[in-house]
Amino acid sequence: TPERIASLMAEWVTGKNPQTILDPAFGLGVFYDVLEQSVGRSSSDMKFIAYEIDSQILDCLAAQNSPHLELRVRDYLEETLDRYDAIICNPPYIRFQNFLNRHSIVPLIEKQLGININGYTNVASVFLLKSLRELNKGGRLAYIMPFEFFNTGYGKDIKKELLREGCLKQIIFFENEKDIFADATTTVCILFRANVSINAPIKISKVN
């Protein structure tokens, strides 16, 4: 995730001074870095919980020694539901058919969320569905997502969850996304959600 994008997302999720922040796909920890540097928050004010399963990434992470970071070396999708004040994520973009653990993960997620997961769903969408259920009342979520789910059959349940109680606040598109996400193989957008029921139009923004 480019640092300037991470900073934009971090500014949104910290707008209501959360005490707990979740990153379900930690990677190299860019969101944690910008929360300390760009947003101007003291890390002592928050607890940052993150999941990561890539052992090569974990070996080179200096941030894991931070007293304010709880880095869980486990698969986020295999964890039971929890609650967080803020969630920020750039999830993995792979189709569920190519996800090795799908036969054990799918029944678990379906039971937790009370929905059926379409076999054509991508893993990013499953991450999002789970995170939406874990956001505390009044909390904020920022997710980078492949835009394709808006126009697919499997995206129906995802859109329903996003629109529930009028909580989807903004969708951001990138006109020059290849300059920002150089390795992207799909159209990218950012979703901003606040777990507050307000009947207001969804803001659509295009960054050029």
Side-chain angles (χ1 to χ4, degrees), residues 20 22 49 51 72 82-87 134-136:
T20 54
L22 170 69
I49 300 99
Y51 286 88
R72 299 173 179 174
D82 208 339
R83 306 296 295 181
Y84 303 94
D85 297 329
I87 302 176
E134 294 189 309
L135 193 62
N136 278 331

Side-chain angles (χ1 to χ4, degrees), residues 68-114:
H68 310 295
L69 170 63
E70 182 182 332
L71 185 55
R72 299 173 179 174
V73 188
R74 301 195 292 273
D75 189 331
Y76 171 66
L77 295 182
E78 293 182 339
E79 295 291 290
T80 56
L81 291 177
D82 208 339
R83 306 296 295 181
Y84 303 94
D85 297 329
I87 302 176
I88 187 168
C89 188
N90 184 359
Y93 296 172
I94 57 175
R95 295 205 175 277
F96 235 35
Q97 300 99 310
N98 301 324
F99 189 50
L100 295 179
N101 294 340
R102 67 186 184 280
H103 296 300
S104 59
I105 293 291
V106 170
L108 177 65
I109 296 293
E110 289 182 331
K111 183 177 180 180
Q112 287 184 349
L113 304 185

Side-chain angles (χ1 to χ4, degrees), residues 2-200:
E3 188 172 304
R4 53 186 169 161
I5 300 298
S7 296
L8 175 72
M9 296 167 66
E11 185 175 352
W12 165 256
V13 300
T14 55
K16 295 297 181 180
N17 299 315
Q19 296 303 300
T20 54
I21 302 177
L22 170 69
D23 182 351
F26 190 69
L28 292 174
V30 64
F31 293 123
Y32 182 77
D33 291 340
V34 300
L35 281 166
E36 290 189 305
Q37 300 167 12
S38 302
V39 181
R41 284 177 51 84
S42 168
S43 60
S44 63
D45 294 335
M46 65 181 182
K47 183 177 182 182
F48 194 95
I49 300 99
Y51 286 88
E52 181 54 57
I53 59 173
D54 190 321
S55 58
Q56 290 183 320
I57 288 178
L58 293 170
D59 287 343
C60 68
L61 282 178
Q64 62 184 306
N65 296 320
S66 168
H68 310 295
L69 170 63
E70 182 182 332
L71 185 55
R72 299 173 179 174
V73 188
R74 301 195 292 273
D75 189 331
Y76 171 66
L77 295 182
E78 293 182 339
E79 295 291 290
T80 56
L81 291 177
D82 208 339
R83 306 296 295 181
Y84 303 94
D85 297 329
I87 302 176
I88 187 168
C89 188
N90 184 359
Y93 296 172
I94 57 175
R95 295 205 175 277
F96 235 35
Q97 300 99 310
N98 301 324
F99 189 50
L100 295 179
N101 294 340
R102 67 186 184 280
H103 296 300
S104 59
I105 293 291
V106 170
L108 177 65
I109 296 293
E110 289 182 331
K111 183 177 180 180
Q112 287 184 349
L113 304 185
I115 61 173
N116 293 320
I117 295 176
N118 188 298
Y120 293 100
T121 306
N122 60 34
V123 172
S125 298
V126 182
F127 267 70
L128 175 62
L129 285 170
K130 183 173 183 179
S131 292
L132 290 173
R133 295 294 180 89
E134 294 189 309
L135 193 62
N136 278 331
K137 195 70 177 175
R140 289 186 171 190
L141 173 146
Y143 247 74
I144 299 177
M145 287 290 291
F147 183 70
E148 64 178 35
F149 80 86
F150 278 100
N151 301 313
T152 61
Y154 73 76
K156 182 178 179 181
D157 287 331
I158 304 166
K159 289 184 282 189
K160 201 177 293 184
E161 283 290 318
L162 281 171
L163 292 171
R164 186 166 49 87
E165 299 178 356
C167 293
L168 180 61
K169 303 307 176 188
Q170 186 171 2
I171 306 171
I172 300 176
F173 301 98
F174 300 93
E175 187 153 304
N176 59 332
E177 64 181 29
K178 285 296 182 183
D179 296 333
I180 302 171
F181 301 97
D183 298 326
T185 57
T186 183
T187 303
V188 177
C189 67
I190 297 178
L191 306 176
F192 283 167
R193 191 178 194 272
N195 205 356
V196 179
S197 300
I198 299 176
N199 188 14

